[in-house]
Amino acid sequence: MSVQKSLGQLAVGESAILGEMALPESASMRLQEMGLLPGSTIRLIRRAPLGCPLEFEVAGSRLAIRGVDASNIFIQ
């Protein structure tokens, strides 16, 4: 049995392949419009001083994602 790792569990500088999103459809669609597509490579750039938001790089763009959302986006 494998345990799924979430986007919020990445270490700074670590990259991964995006998997599924366990978010409401509207939030999932909005993130997909910004380039967070399953199979894309994503890298954690940095965490804000209090841990939220998290800054990621995907498809040449940088995005800030709330920690609660990042914990519901799974990686491979």
Side-chain angles (χ1 to χ4, degrees):
M1 179 178 174
S2 66
V3 176
Q4 283 191 323
K5 188 173 180 181
S6 75
L7 200 54
Q9 294 174 306
L10 286 176
V12 173
E14 187 177 6
S15 295
I17 305 296
L18 284 170
E20 64 180 276
M21 294 185 206
L23 297 169
E25 186 176 352
S26 61
S28 178
M29 292 295 290
R30 179 71 179 132
L31 290 171
Q32 288 181 21
E33 289 171 356
M34 292 189 295
L36 270 75
L37 300 169
S40 298
T41 300
I42 191 165
R43 181 171 60 104
L44 178 60
I45 302 298
R46 65 179 164 188
R47 296 175 185 273
L50 297 177
C52 185
L54 303 134
E55 181 181 354
F56 293 95
E57 182 177 60
V58 62
S61 298
R62 291 195 176 187
L63 306 168
I65 300 176
R66 296 182 307 169
V68 68
D69 291 335
S71 67
N72 289 305
I73 300 172
F74 300 101
I75 54 176
Q76 299 176 5

